[in-house]
Amino acid sequence: MNSTSNDNDNIGYVCSALQCERGLGKKTAMRWIDAHGVKTNYNFSDLENQSNRFSNAISSLGIDAGNVVFTFLPKMPEQFFAFLGILKTRAVCGTLFSNFGEDALLDRLGDSGAVGIITRKSLYKKVSRIRDKLPALKHVILVDGDDDPATGVISYSRIMAEASSEYQVLPTSPDTPSVLHYTSGSTGKPKGVLHRHGSLASQMATTQDVLGLKEDDIYWCTADQGWVTGTSYGIIGPWSLGVTQVHYGGGYDAQRWMDLLAQEKITVWYSAPTALRMLMREEETIFTSADLSSLRSIYSVGEPLNPEVISWSRRVLKHDIYDTWFQTETGAIMITNRPGLEIRPGSMGKPFEGIEPAILADDGTPLPDGEQGNLCVKTGWPSMFITYLNNESAYSSKFRNGWYYTGDTARRDDDGYYWFMGRSDDVINTAGHLISPFEVESALLEVAEVAESGVIGAPDELLFEKVVAFVNLHEGHQPTKELEIKIRLHVSNRASSIATPQEIIFCDSIPKNKSGKIMRRVLKARYLGEDPGDISTLEI
Ligand code: AMP
């Protein structure tokens, strides 16, 4: 055995070394399928050896417990080796969505004081443009690059070849910080949600009892590792239970996805409503001709799952879809549908065992069943985040009288099912990704022609919500198609492609209150043609 620690809560250790100790070394951990369909199998010993090498490699660079190291990669095997390797050293592993632009990267790398990043040449271009603003970022490791002493760039192949595949994972307590994901708020910069190794208990329990994964399952989670579903249920949960995962490097393609489900004999599939709605729009023959006989269950997370998608799936895929609810902050599924519980289409289901949600009024009073209020969860579950990095006040503002306020509004029916109603803030959920209107507005203001902007989320049949930007131009500038394209490109490069406004509405002014705060509520009402309600604080 390469890692020899026993009785260790370290996530990296449990997901690789422990599985080898259990005799699963030769079992396939990851069936990697690249965008061209080329398949490579990695067994649990490979996972153990590669992650150990990465642990040794970064340790020799001086990276140590408590340091923050990011992966900034598309889905690829190195992402998984690095994730586990970083955690084994007890450094914190942050994951960055590979579509992030420069501002998004600067916010996250800067705020966390990251000392290292593992990326690839094409993505490093974005990092290199902001590197002089990141004094703490000492180590840049390129999976496809050579050493470059001039820029301090390090070759992944070299350090991995030089490193030993034996690594002793030191005892790691449940409270040791583990994974870092940034999440968007409606004001200010994104917040760094920090988790701990003890989150494993929740991730294992829900993977077992909600997703129902057993050792002979073949599981596919479509989420990107840049988001919490991609780490909690695309790495930690399944591998901690010794389950084989399929990871696919290509994007959405209905035919390809059905082939994958059929050929890989996938038994449990975890995806998201936008992807399922996209499938719903495809020719039915794609599904009727696919052999989905191995598939046992389908799960969904990230946005409300419309009842129509469930009935489509029942009719066409011949399966139910189990909607699950959680957040970056909760680290694991909290409220959920699962086999054995009757599905009420449109409902998120019932609390997972040991989780106590409540619907509370703003003053903390419990609301009767049927009434809409703040969705809260009684504190103390194992995967509860431990802080917002460098933002203790935002963290403490989320807790009152032993309840965690999720920022969602919901209602509970008489039978204890929870129904998602919306967000209690202005955060936009587009295709399951939370977008901060503030971040988009900041990017818009960097465009020379833009004087003011206000960004809202508007209902969208496919994406759940789309990003709509109201833009007021400086005098002397006219709205043109070219300017629209310029604005879109700018937001994509600075924030990310998913934050790019779907719609840009040029206007003469942006409604603000007397203290200068953008009144997005008024913009939303204007967009929807509704009554804006109380506008007494509107600046005239
Ligand atoms: P994130 O922290 O990026 O994972 O986003 C979490 C947010 O996504 C939640 O607070 C909800 O607003 C939304 N969300 C996640 N799962 C669901 C679901 N099953 N139904 C409705 N909204 C969801």
Side-chain angles (χ1 to χ4, degrees), residues 163-221:
S164 160
S165 61
E166 310 243 330
Y167 184 81
Q168 168 91 39
V169 181
L170 293 175
T172 307
S173 84
D175 285 329
T176 308
S178 58
V179 177
L180 178 66
H181 287 294
Y182 275 80
T183 190
S184 301
S186 49
T187 54
K189 302 278 188 200
K191 299 185 288 276
V193 181
L194 188 63
H195 282 283
R196 55 180 208 125
H197 282 265
S199 68
L200 187 61
S202 303
Q203 288 143 352
M204 276 176 98
T206 46
T207 302
Q208 208 161 268
D209 298 338
V210 176
L211 303 183
L213 290 189
K214 294 188 285 304
E215 262 183 29
D216 55 355
D217 274 317
I218 300 184
Y219 166 73
W220 181 31
C221 173

Side-chain angles (χ1 to χ4, degrees), residues 317-329:
L317 302 179
K318 311 277 181 249
H319 279 284
D320 272 325
I321 304 177
Y322 300 106
D323 185 19
T324 65
W325 179 92
F326 74 110
Q327 306 180 302
T328 309
E329 286 89 339

Side-chain angles (χ1 to χ4, degrees), residues 431-450:
H433 303 299
L434 297 194
I435 302 290
S436 156
F438 173 83
E439 279 188 89
V440 183
E441 285 156 6
S442 305
L444 288 167
L445 289 180
E446 291 170 352
V447 179
E449 293 85 343
V450 174

Side-chain angles (χ1 to χ4, degrees), residues 210-211 270 299-303 322-326 333 335-337 348:
V210 176
L211 303 183
Y270 203 0
Y299 293 82
S300 165
V301 69
E303 326 145 46
Y322 300 106
D323 185 19
T324 65
W325 179 92
F326 74 110
I333 297 167
I335 299 176
T336 188
N337 292 281
M348 310 188 284

